[in-house]
Amino acid sequence: MVVLVVHAHPDPDSLGAALARAAVEGLRDAGRQVELVDLYADRFDPRMTADERRAYESDAPILDPTVQRYAELLGRADTVVFVYPTWWFGMPAILKGFLDRVFVEGVAFRLDPRTRKVRPGLTHVRRLVGITTYGSPRAYVRFFGDPGRRTVARTIRPMCGVRCRVRWFGLHAVDTATAEERQAFIDRVRREVAR
């Protein structure tokens, strides 16, 4: 099994990109096989097409070869790491589009043919990790419910089954963080993901 790292930041020189690199380095230093998906570098289109929506509940919901490649990587992963900046208290649109187009029936979940109840499809995933930066202080993020974290912990995790664990790394008030604080966060991510 591999670790799938999904990175969503448009600037390759950003703190987000440095965090993705740190996560990949830490995981590889720990002997893990890592697959990196850089959504912006891949020029991933987050928009679901009308044809994809019509195919959504069919036996073949994935029509795009890039989305198929991502789904295959997800199918081989026992750990999924999301690295993204929190914008407007949520995930960037490109990452939300990744979830919309990749986490479809037959990949992330199954519908019971009789009851139409959702059944987990990612039971091979044992760990979900979120690595993000917040412009707001921790208290503001808490007040607004940390929607990105909730998406991972309360929406994706149930698709993985009861044994899946969630780990979260967040740098709050990044806009006023010093260079030393940013570097300390990068170092912490590299060190902690190696565990």
Side-chain angles (χ1 to χ4, degrees), residues 68-191:
Q68 183 62 44
R69 181 174 65 86
Y70 293 161
E72 289 168 4
L73 290 171
L74 181 60
R76 295 196 311 264
D78 66 353
T79 302
V80 182
V81 180
F82 298 98
V83 185
Y84 66 93
T86 296
W87 292 336
W88 288 98
F89 293 100
M91 296 176 166
I94 200 167
L95 181 54
K96 177 62 170 65
F98 173 86
L99 298 177
D100 290 343
R101 295 183 70 204
V102 178
F103 285 60
V104 296
E105 183 180 358
V107 176
F109 64 93
R110 313 240 181 301
L111 288 176
D112 183 286
R114 189 177 58 76
T115 65
R116 303 289 289 163
K117 288 186 178 179
V118 173
R119 302 288 182 233
L122 298 172
T123 54
H124 56 281
V125 175
R126 297 290 185 217
R127 191 169 298 276
L128 295 168
V129 179
I131 302 169
T132 191
T133 57
Y134 302 91
S136 298
R138 185 181 311 270
Y140 280 50
V141 173
R142 259 196 209 140
F143 179 78
F144 286 102
D146 201 349
R149 185 176 188 167
R150 275 198 335 238
T151 296
V152 173
R154 296 185 187 173
T155 306
I156 297 173
R157 184 182 167 275
M159 297 303 104
C160 302
V162 295
R163 293 195 173 126
C164 182
R165 300 291 174 247
V166 176
R167 184 78 195 272
W168 204 259
F169 301 94
L171 178 60
H172 295 83
V174 69
D175 298 336
T176 57
T178 65
E180 292 79 18
E181 290 168 327
R182 290 171 183 233
Q183 187 60 53
F185 185 63
I186 292 169
D187 295 342
R188 176 180 170 229
V189 164
R190 181 182 294 110
R191 189 175 57 249

Side-chain angles (χ1 to χ4, degrees), residues 41-87:
D42 287 354
R43 297 183 180 275
F44 175 68
D45 187 346
R47 298 171 299 174
M48 180 182 285
T49 67
D51 287 340
E52 286 174 320
R53 183 61 193 109
R54 284 189 284 274
Y56 190 84
E57 291 187 37
S58 75
D59 291 338
I62 297 177
L63 307 177
D64 181 301
T66 300
V67 174
Q68 183 62 44
R69 181 174 65 86
Y70 293 161
E72 289 168 4
L73 290 171
L74 181 60
R76 295 196 311 264
D78 66 353
T79 302
V80 182
V81 180
F82 298 98
V83 185
Y84 66 93
T86 296
W87 292 336

